[in-house]
């Protein structure tokens, strides 16, 4: 791995579909006013952290989150396609109730083997794990910020912290938390 001193990991800010509990996957929806406010709070906290580079996924919600932070830190975000969220395939845009109505039993099948479960017409965590490792290979700087998504973020944490898949998938990443990761010590804490 690169010789990072610290890696910061932010999930994109809250979106309209997050509020409506719709699966976004590779679809997109705009940040909410609360999401913009979250991002501005992140930017204020990160000003004190000597961030030296920003990398973001290609979707609008990560690009906008990274842009707001980048403007505050006077850094231009670099887009890394491999930081894109897992492809939810046929589940994209649906709520859990809609998934259950259209694909009976699929959420239970997914829960039974989450890492290897492939969304119908989409990808699995195992598929995206390869991308997460590749994305980290594109990250430069001593103290970079990555702006990604919750699902691919779990896989980034897996690689940065040396977690097994089950431990990585058990992690949550709320919109209002930025993680500060020390890859050499394998520690992770929320930025205060």
């Amino acid at each position: 791995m690169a010789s990072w001193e610290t890696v910061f990991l932010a999930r994109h800010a809250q979106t309209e579909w997050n509020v409506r509990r719709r699966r976004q996957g590779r679809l997109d929806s705009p940040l909410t006013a609360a999401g913009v406010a979250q991002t501005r709070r992140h930017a204020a906290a990160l000003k004190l952290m000597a961030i030296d580079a920003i990398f973001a996924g290609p979707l609008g919600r990560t690009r906008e989150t990274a842009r707001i932070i980048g403007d505050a830190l006077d850094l231009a975000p670099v887009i890394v396609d491999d930081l894109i969220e897992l492809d939810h395939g046929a589940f994209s845009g649906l709520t859990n109730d809609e998934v259950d109505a259209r694909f009976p039993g699929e959420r239970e099948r997914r829960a039974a083997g989450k890492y290897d479960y492939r969304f119908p017409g989409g990808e699995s965590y195992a598929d995206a794990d390869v991308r997460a490792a590749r994305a980290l290979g594109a990250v430069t700087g001593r103290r970079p910020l990555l702006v990604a998504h919750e699902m691919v973020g779990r896989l980034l944490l897996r690689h940065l912290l040396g977690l097994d898949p089950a431990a990585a998938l058990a992690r949550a990443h709320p919109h209002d938390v930025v993680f500060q990761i020390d890859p050499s010590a394998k520690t992770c804490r929320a930025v205060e």
Side-chain angles (χ1 to χ4, degrees):
M1 272 204 196
S3 57
W4 304 300
E5 176 185 313
T6 303
V7 176
F8 297 86
L9 177 61
R11 180 180 177 190
H12 64 79
Q14 181 190 69
T15 69
E16 296 291 338
W17 278 16
N18 291 139
V19 172
R20 295 182 188 132
R21 304 194 60 76
R22 291 200 172 278
R23 294 176 182 273
Q24 293 176 106
R26 294 197 179 168
L27 300 179
D28 227 341
S29 70
L31 300 183
T32 63
V36 172
Q38 287 166 347
T39 304
R40 289 185 177 136
R41 284 191 302 275
H42 290 334
L46 291 170
K47 275 186 177 185
L48 308 173
M49 299 295 169
I51 304 290
D52 59 7
I54 300 175
F55 299 86
L59 295 174
R61 59 193 186 267
T62 48
R63 291 171 72 107
E64 182 63 6
T65 301
R67 184 197 62 76
I68 293 168
I69 295 170
D71 286 352
L73 302 182
D74 199 28
L75 292 170
V78 175
I79 303 305
V80 177
D81 289 340
D82 283 327
L83 290 174
I84 197 166
E85 183 60 304
L86 269 72
D87 185 348
H88 290 206
F91 289 12
S92 298
L94 303 180
T95 64
N96 283 343
D97 288 343
E98 291 168 338
V99 168
D100 291 343
R102 295 179 193 182
F103 303 95
E106 280 300 306
R107 286 198 313 129
E108 291 78 13
R109 280 188 280 287
R110 180 174 182 258
K114 213 173 201 181
Y115 184 74
D116 292 312
Y117 176 86
R118 184 170 284 116
F119 288 103
E123 65 180 341
S124 67
Y125 272 111
D127 296 330
D129 204 3
V130 174
R131 282 194 296 101
R134 207 168 43 225
L136 288 171
V139 173
T140 59
R142 299 280 298 149
R143 297 176 63 84
L145 166 67
L146 310 180
V147 181
H149 305 267
E150 186 170 38
M151 294 176 99
V152 76
R154 289 176 177 133
L155 300 169
L156 295 168
L157 285 171
R158 173 172 137 61
H159 291 280
L160 291 167
L161 298 174
L163 302 173
D164 66 40
L169 300 190
R171 291 181 158 275
H173 191 170
H175 297 283
D176 60 349
V177 173
V178 175
F179 291 128
Q180 182 175 351
I181 302 148
D182 179 339
S184 62
K186 304 295 186 208
T187 60
C188 178
R189 70 176 189 85
V191 171
E192 306 280 331

